[in-house]
Amino acid sequence: MSTFEVVLPLTMLGGLVLILFSGFPVAFCLAGVGLAFAALGGALDMFYPMQLFLIVSRIWGSIAENLVLVAIPMFIFMGIMLEKSGVARHLLEILSVLMRRVPGGLALAVVLMGTIMAATTGIVGASVVMLAMLALPVMVDRGYDKGMTSGVIAASGTLGILIPPSIMLVVMGDMLAIPVGDLFAGAVIPGLLLSGLYLVFIVVMALIRPDRMPRMAKPGDETAGDIWMLVLKGFVPPTLLVVFVLGSIVGGLATPTEAAGIGAFGATLLALFNGRLSLGLLREVARGTALTNAMIFGIFCGATLFSYVFRELGGDDAIIHVIDLLDLHDWTLVVLLMAIVFLLGFFFDWLEITLIILPVFRPIVMSLDLGDTVPSDQLLLWFAVVVAVNLQTSYLTPPFGPALFYLRQAGHAHLTLGDIYKGVIPFTLLQLTGLGLCLLFPALVLWLPGALGY
């Protein structure tokens, strides 16, 4: 390749990064940069303007007709419905009662609640705001350290981006041509691993520094009957919904689209069960679903245009050429790719990183040879899940971690931005520990898909 053929695609990537910092809507940034470099490529005889007419068919064929992506609006509907129906409030009540005798019991209850809700919603913004509104005032009133409180809520709320059914995994499966059921199965153990690391850290810190997480002053006056009623009303329904939705996908009984429909219907039934279902609630949930869905699919359309122009300008070949010049060992290259994803997470959202970076990284990953550690036919699956674990850190890393601002907005009466930044540091390190374990022990990702026969 000539130097110019390498420089132009890389300049296109750099230009996109700069434009994204402008704060302009991401979908328009992607499409605008794509059109600008299509025009530049046309002027240099590297791109034919007639090729732009193919964009419509690519958007239609890869997005509008894709039945897997139909799962996204239904998962969004399910998450918003659960947030508004009071299911989360009942869940926190029962978990705080069950964990009251354990060191750091309230913080543990928040992590467990975040884990369960992650398997039912998958929407980080809703999870963080919901946890902040429900748990933050209680934790502050009981004398919990504000930094620890911030970290627990933010980290627990971000589990939804990894633990299935995750919207991010649906997008990754479509982009990398990996069955979504495989990705869901591969992400279960890493997601539970992160949750387990949080739980262990909280218990250790509660034993070392009990002043930061004091136990409940009184055991409470609930009878056994009261507790059983709380379990039946607050714990069993969302757990059954997880079993029906996730179990049907992982067990091969339903496609992700079908399971998403089950989840949306089940969430509506739970709202009815809690006495919260009304036309007003349905209107609010439908509006929130439409707005979130429009944002996601708008970015899809812009990313399709950008990636098409990038590839036509020789972007894939340019990236591979640069990698070849570096002459890195395959495992060193994996670490480099993970470092790039992690650094991008300081500034960009997971959707932007996924739609821009994964198509660029895919040919590089396919050329790797990691020996018997990661079989070649499972390489993309393992890499996608590891990237998903990595991308979870993007929600917590300053300066633009979305979870930090969700928490700041919901908890402004109790927390400063300094409290939040201080609190998320140990949980970011725990996430990186989980990422390192998934890199060192690929079986954490690959065992369950293999056990299920994928």
Side-chain angles (χ1 to χ4, degrees):
M1 296 184 68
S2 67
T3 302
F4 189 74
E5 291 173 326
V6 175
V7 169
L8 185 61
L10 296 181
T11 304
M12 185 177 180
L13 279 178
L16 175 63
V17 171
L18 292 176
I19 294 296
L20 286 173
F21 278 111
S22 69
F24 211 61
V26 176
F28 298 144
C29 291
L30 288 164
V33 172
L35 289 174
F37 275 83
L40 180 59
L44 298 172
D45 290 329
M46 295 178 63
F47 188 90
Y48 298 103
M50 291 295 291
Q51 290 177 275
L52 290 175
F53 287 98
L54 297 175
I55 298 296
V56 176
S57 61
R58 289 177 68 89
I59 290 174
W60 182 262
S62 63
I63 300 173
E65 287 189 332
N66 192 326
L67 291 179
V68 173
L69 296 181
V70 177
I72 292 177
M74 288 189 285
F75 279 137
I76 294 171
F77 180 94
M78 179 176 70
I80 297 176
M81 179 63 76
L82 287 172
E83 177 197 356
K84 305 294 185 182
S85 63
V87 172
R89 184 177 301 277
H90 293 146
L91 184 60
L92 183 60
E93 288 175 4
I94 180 58
L95 289 173
S96 61
V97 170
L98 294 177
M99 303 298 294
R100 63 192 176 194
R101 298 184 184 276
V102 183
L106 185 55
L108 296 176
V110 172
V111 173
L112 292 174
M113 177 183 171
T115 304
I116 295 173
M117 295 306 294
T120 57
T121 62
I123 304 174
V124 169
S127 296
V128 172
V129 172
M130 177 178 58
L131 287 174
M133 293 177 64
L134 296 177
L136 181 57
V138 180
M139 296 177 78
V140 172
D141 288 344
R142 293 182 182 175
Y144 270 64
D145 176 77
K146 291 185 177 181
M148 178 61 70
T149 299
S150 303
V152 168
I153 292 175
S156 302
T158 60
L159 287 171
I161 204 63
L162 177 61
I163 295 178
S166 161
I167 295 173
M168 179 170 70
L169 295 178
V170 175
V171 174
M172 283 184 166
D174 175 66
M175 295 196 65
L176 297 177
I178 303 172
V180 175
D182 293 18
L183 281 174
F184 280 5
V188 169
I189 293 178
L192 296 178
L193 172 65
L194 289 180
S195 178
L197 289 173
Y198 299 162
L199 295 173
V200 171
F201 174 73
I202 289 169
V203 172
V204 171
M205 289 303 298
L207 293 173
I208 296 176
R209 295 286 305 276
D211 57 303
R212 300 185 68 188
M213 289 181 284
R215 300 193 189 195
M216 291 179 65
K218 295 185 293 184
D221 55 0
E222 299 90 350
T223 65
D226 294 333
I227 293 177
W228 277 110
M229 284 302 297
L230 282 173
V231 170
L232 290 174
K233 190 174 182 180
F235 187 80
V236 173
T239 303
L240 287 178
L241 188 61
V242 171
V243 172
F244 285 133
V245 175
L246 184 55
S248 62
I249 298 173
V250 175
L253 301 176
T255 65
T257 304
E258 293 166 343
I262 294 172
F265 181 67
T268 306
L269 287 182
L270 289 183
L272 179 63
F273 178 73
N274 285 342
R276 296 291 301 275
L277 187 62
S278 65
L279 287 177
L281 177 66
L282 283 174
R283 186 162 46 246
E284 185 180 359
V285 172
R287 183 176 185 275
T289 301
L291 290 174
T292 305
N293 193 55
M295 180 270 292
I296 291 175
F297 279 84
I299 294 176
F300 271 140
C301 293
T304 300
L305 193 158
F306 177 88
S307 62
Y308 175 72
V309 174
F310 181 76
R311 287 173 177 170
E312 290 300 312
L313 292 178
D316 290 355
D317 294 333
I319 295 294
I320 293 175
H321 180 70
V322 171
I323 295 298
D324 288 341
L325 289 178
L326 294 176
D327 194 24
L328 299 175
H329 185 274
D330 285 354
W331 276 106
T332 306
L333 183 55
V334 169
V335 174
L336 175 62
L337 298 181
M338 289 297 106
I340 292 172
V341 172
F342 177 72
L343 291 175
L344 287 175
F346 278 80
F347 307 103
F348 303 118
D349 187 57
W350 71 266
L351 189 57
E352 302 159 24
I353 298 172
T354 299
L355 294 176
I356 297 168
I357 293 298
L358 282 189
V360 176
F361 282 0
R362 189 179 191 277
I364 301 172
V365 175
M366 293 298 292
S367 67
L368 297 177
D369 181 8
L370 302 182
D372 295 334
T373 308
V374 184
S376 58
D377 60 335
Q378 296 179 308
L379 193 57
L380 266 184
L381 170 62
W382 170 76
F383 182 78
V385 174
V386 171
V387 168
V389 176
N390 196 341
L391 284 175
Q392 190 184 349
T393 63
S394 69
Y395 274 90
L396 296 185
T397 46
F400 301 121
L404 309 182
F405 295 101
Y406 295 143
L407 181 57
R408 172 63 175 151
Q409 180 180 4
H412 65 275
H414 303 280
L415 302 172
T416 65
L417 204 55
D419 294 329
I420 296 172
Y421 281 170
K422 181 179 69 173
V424 299
I425 291 174
F427 289 91
T428 302
L429 295 176
L430 289 173
Q431 289 179 341
L432 291 176
T433 300
L435 173 63
L437 291 173
C438 291
L439 289 171
L440 291 173
F441 306 103
L444 291 171
V445 174
L446 300 176
W447 177 81
L448 186 57
L452 294 172
Y454 288 136

